[in-house]
Amino acid sequence: MNKEKAMNRTFFTVLVLFLAAGGGLRAQKSGNDDSSFDVSRYNVEWDTPGKDATASMPAGNGDLGANVYALRSGDLCLLLGKTDAFDWSGNVWKTGRIRIRINPNPFYRAMLTFRQTLNLAEGCIDITSICRVSNQQLKIKVWVDANRPVYHVDVQGKQDMAIKIVPEFWERPDGSSDRLETIDSQLVWYHANGEQSSYPADLKYYEIEDMRDRHPDPYKHRTFGCAMQVAGLKPENGEFKGFGKSFSIEIASLTKQVENTGDWVKETRNILAEEYDRKQAYTKHCQWWTSFWNTSWITASDNTLPPEEREKPAKPAAPGQRGEKDGGYIVAQSYNVSRFIMACQGRGEYQTQFNGGIFTVPFPNYRANDGTLFGEDERDWGNRFTFQNQRLLYWPMLAAGDFEMMRPFFNYYFSILDLRKRITQQWFEHEGAYYRENIKLTGAEIGEWPGGSADLANKPPKTKKGEPLPAGWCHNYHFNSGLELSVMALELYRYSQNEAFFRDTVVPLSREVIRFFDRHYDRDNQGKLLLYPSQVLETWWDATNPTTDVAGLHYLIDGLLKEKNIPQPDRKDWERLRKQLPDIPLATEDGKQYILPAAKFAHRGNSENGELYAVFPYPLFGLGHGTEDIVAKTMEKRLFKNSFDYRCWTQDQIMYAYAGMSEEAKEGLIHRWSTYSKHMRLPVFGAESPDYVPDLDHNGSGSVALQRMVVQEVGDKIYVLPAWPREWDGSFKLRLHNNTVIQGAVKNGKVENLNISPENRRKDMVVVIK
């Protein structure tokens, strides 16, 4: 482990210990009392089994997870995934499927009472069924140990049953197959990349092959899979068979880079060989989830409805359309279940992919642009980390206090900083580091053009002054990702006040990103930085001084200069550049100012409102600054209103919250979370197109908006309920800057039980609810 990774791990360990020590109230049954939090109010329950994997619920421990689904045929299936199960080119593949067949069929609808519950409080899935004919009463619990890389399936019946447990595989997208072995009382299976890897080609493309020793190949010899055992049973012919009242199934999962796959087999089997108390393990598993839910929450319910209609689940109004009357409940359930989904896959070695994470499923009737069906290992947008989308998975973790889950995000981008510096020097022949929109695990960029994409490495053009701009690519001059990444790191420091993270990550990362902009662009006749050629994200391909980059530079440099522990050379450099930054471009209409996308802009290619980046993620304008009128006017003038029908990475509700426009924020969030993928049963699995299902950044954007409706910070001031609708009752517990925790409730437009820790921050609070 290198020094940077060791420091980052130490930092996040300190944060986790801090949260455990100051975790706050224990979860309690709340009923109508919103001063405490009972997450079970947001459980998802189904009273019929499904037809295929699209009727699945997620379970996971932060690294490995499963789509769990009960079928009318009598099968219970677990489609297994792991955050680091990369093939030789960076695609996240599944680690198999487990099919559990019980006889007599416990899920035959005409013969039973059936209930499948996403049990949020205990981080598990519970299934119960009662057969009216045989009087069989069946209970199944599926849980992924929060403290060990092991899946558990516990089956308990009132009467004897026959059971068959089979691991299933399929041909991988590259034509390869998994290997299955029977060893003593276990079934073991794995996929091995062997010598195959796209990494050498990426390094060769950038002419930096000598970096291989400093940055080892992430794909070569990567081996992933599982080992399974069933208490009291031995496998025969690749399956387990048994007869009895109860069965205990354990599945260990491991990813490791090994030249000899026998080493992987031994280590994976040893996980199951460890002695432990199963009951105690489940208790500790539940304790982890209790601590998680005690860290933060937001609840909401429409107080204009009669009590019997509030927080009442309902059947879908139509495929992909929620049927509940309580819009506040829809929003709050979606927020909390979204946080659960990220917790199920957010503690692995690598960041979660926006386009489904580890919870993608094969679609029986959804086709890609080329007409092909999606299988178990396939997804739209493939093997890339697309920053416009990735960031929205992680922004909500700040206010939620989920700092541990931010570790994979920052570790990844910081781990490739040396690569990005070297690529910048090799290609542009100047210092600094640029991060483009699409980056692979190897640190290589992926190019993209309208109507298609390329999985090959790509470089931005080197356009000289006076040359015409080249045609074609969405990301030619799009370098904003590094700025926002640095701002996110700075924000994490502001929340945690961890000096080691600031010194070892925030400062070196920001230094290289700022240095890139300083060295890459010329100055105008007034000595101001002239960002041209440049872009406004993917939307305006020919831009001068785009608001996205100008606002990012202002917000980042101003924020850094406010900190005390800045190395003097950096402070001097940043103070110099700060004086050279151009102003945010503004215009006026009917005496009201609004923000422009850039000083000059042309050639539209997408549907982003880049001018509003000066509101979020770089909040230079808004209610806390006394400029909510400028935000409101900019929202009025924005070209793209609620793009993709309120879906995906669109940020309209976030902007309304910063403008203090509670009604617009509320209605937008209800619309956002009232629709989901019509192909899926879980109402928090965001729809496909333009992303893939489950669309995780769809939930992330909504989560940020809801948090900003509850609280916003500017300087030392804390604005409480700046965009909260009076017709929503609710409660909240969120994290703020300077290790601060705020907790309270609101009922009929009045704030109740408002507490803040440390207490000396009470003087900074301003209650704004209108």
Side-chain angles (χ1 to χ4, degrees), residues 213-256:
D213 293 336
R214 296 178 60 185
H215 292 270
D217 191 325
Y219 305 142
K220 186 178 179 181
H221 299 308
R222 184 171 290 265
T223 303
F224 51 85
C226 301
M228 177 169 62
Q229 63 186 23
V230 183
L233 300 182
K234 286 191 174 183
E236 294 183 7
N237 301 317
E239 62 186 28
F240 292 92
K241 288 184 178 180
F243 188 79
K245 290 185 174 66
S246 64
F247 300 91
S248 176
I249 304 166
E250 295 177 312
I251 307 157
S253 187
L254 178 70
T255 299
K256 197 165 187 178

Side-chain angles (χ1 to χ4, degrees), residues 4 54 131 308 366 552 571 597 696 699 707 724 751:
E4 289 86 353
T54 60
C131 180
E308 64 272 14
Y366 176 67
R571 182 175 296 279
L696 301 177
N699 293 331
Q707 291 171 346
W724 189 263
V751 181

